[in-house]
Amino acid sequence: ASVLSNLDNNSGNTTNFANINSVLPAANPAQTAADFAAAVLSGNSALGDTYVCPSLKGSLALAVMNDYASAGVHSLTTQTICTVSGSNLVTCQMGVLFINGLTANVTQTYQMLDGLVCGVVSTQVG
């Protein structure tokens, strides 16, 4: 009853939702991981950095880009689809184009912290 009476007593019987965002997760981990992967595969490490946890900004996106480059990955061919797997892991599947013209599916699992990418746990091609 006390909750209802508090609602009834505020001005105009409206509830203030201004602070509700503070209790929601900072970001959707699956979407953040997908955006990170897309940025890295487009060669934009600065954009990729915006999805990386603070301690790894300036290094993680660049490291993943270099890994892709050394493997001969040229660009993204399909939309990246990511799913949360476990409390702090997100697995992403993406189609990639290699420099030699071949295509393949890459599955990459990211370690997440506070909805941001904090590391690459595994990468599988095929």
Side-chain angles (χ1 to χ4, degrees):
S2 62
V3 173
L4 291 175
S5 62
N6 286 342
L7 288 174
D8 290 341
N9 289 337
N10 71 14
S11 59
N13 289 335
T14 59
T15 305
N16 181 5
F17 288 106
N19 296 322
I20 201 153
N21 286 337
S22 63
V23 297
L24 295 174
N28 175 343
Q31 185 61 54
T32 299
D35 291 342
F36 171 78
V40 167
L41 279 161
S42 72
N44 191 337
S45 63
L47 179 59
D49 262 350
T50 62
Y51 307 108
V52 172
C53 62
S55 61
L56 291 172
K57 283 190 188 300
S59 63
L60 181 61
L62 205 56
V64 176
M65 278 176 58
N66 289 337
D67 286 346
Y68 282 143
S70 65
V73 173
H74 181 263
S75 60
L76 185 68
T77 62
T78 59
Q79 185 179 5
T80 302
I81 299 171
C82 300
T83 53
V84 177
S85 54
S87 58
N88 65 337
L89 297 176
V90 172
T91 299
C92 295
Q93 289 183 310
M94 60 203 96
V96 297
L97 175 66
F98 289 91
I99 292 166
N100 62 9
L102 296 176
T103 58
N105 288 319
V106 172
T107 303
Q108 199 158 44
T109 300
Y110 302 110
Q111 185 175 8
M112 310 295 288
L113 180 66
D114 295 332
L116 297 170
V117 179
C118 285
V120 178
V121 180
S122 68
T123 305
Q124 294 176 316
V125 179

